[in-house]
């Protein structure tokens, strides 16, 4: 049973950002400081990647562990309305996989950075450098 009313839950959920999140801003700052220039949220590409590095023909997705079904501690399924959330997170995962496949088939290199990985930014920076060569 949810502790909030349906209206209060709806209000809370409507305030959740999907663009310019803190993890996304952290990755953008890393890229900028490394000298990479990029575009944001390209609507012309499958999945509207968070960061597009056109010069490198590469895209970066910064996924929240909860919303994209990561297997870390933060990627848990809520204890209320479990059936809904299991199905919702499954659909998100399938959609992400399909978007990555479409991008790679179109010749783009795809990097996924999970929110939990940003706890160790030096590792993320190293992954980015390796990814972009």
């Amino acid at each position: 049973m949810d502790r909030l009313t349906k209206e209060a839950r709806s209000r809370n959920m409507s305030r959740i950002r999907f663009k310019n999140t803190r993890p996304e801003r952290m990755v953008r700052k890393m890229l900028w400081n490394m000298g990479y220039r990029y575009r944001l949220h390209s609507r012309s590409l499958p999945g509207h990647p968070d960061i597009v590095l056109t010069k490198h023909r590469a895209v970066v997705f910064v996924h929240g562990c909860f919303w994209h079904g990561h297997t870390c501690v933060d990627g848990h399924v809520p204890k209320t309305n479990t059936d809904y959330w299991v199905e919702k997170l499954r659909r998100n995962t399938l959609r992400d996989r399909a978007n990555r496949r479409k991008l790679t088939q179109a010749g783009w290199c795809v990097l996924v950075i999970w929110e939990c990985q940003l706890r160790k930014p030096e590792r993320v920076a190293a992954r980015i450098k390796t990814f972009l060569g």
Side-chain angles (χ1 to χ4, degrees):
M1 193 79 200
D2 200 351
R3 290 178 287 161
L4 298 176
T5 66
K6 191 171 183 177
E7 294 77 23
R9 177 62 62 206
S10 178
R11 189 172 50 252
N12 284 355
M13 296 301 283
S14 72
R15 288 189 169 93
I16 295 173
R17 302 172 125 204
F18 67 96
K19 282 187 188 178
N20 303 316
T21 61
R22 183 173 174 263
E24 185 183 322
R25 290 191 318 264
M26 287 174 67
V27 173
R28 290 182 347 210
K29 186 174 182 177
M30 276 184 220
L31 284 163
W32 190 267
N33 289 339
M34 286 188 246
Y36 295 108
R37 301 303 176 248
Y38 49 82
R39 299 280 181 243
L40 300 175
H41 312 290
S42 176
R43 293 184 126 329
S44 63
L45 293 173
H48 308 194
D50 299 316
I51 300 167
V52 180
L53 297 117
T54 310
K55 180 179 175 182
H56 299 275
R57 196 141 175 90
V59 298
V60 178
F61 287 99
V62 183
H63 284 338
C65 296
F66 172 77
W67 292 105
H68 295 271
H70 195 222
T71 56
C72 70
V73 175
D74 299 329
H76 68 282
V77 176
K79 292 177 182 163
T80 58
N81 205 5
T82 306
D83 293 339
Y84 167 80
W85 284 109
V86 167
E87 180 58 24
K88 167 71 174 156
L89 298 174
R90 186 186 71 77
R91 285 192 320 266
N92 287 355
T93 304
L94 291 174
R95 183 193 64 228
D96 293 341
R97 190 176 307 144
N99 288 330
R100 285 193 310 269
R101 188 178 322 110
K102 288 176 191 174
L103 286 162
T104 54
Q105 288 172 348
W108 290 87
C109 296
V110 179
L111 176 65
V112 175
I113 297 174
W114 292 96
E115 177 182 19
C116 63
Q117 293 171 332
L118 290 168
R119 291 183 190 129
K120 298 190 177 175
E122 62 284 347
R123 286 188 184 175
V124 174
R127 271 187 70 206
I128 291 170
K129 281 188 178 186
T130 302
F131 174 69
L132 295 174

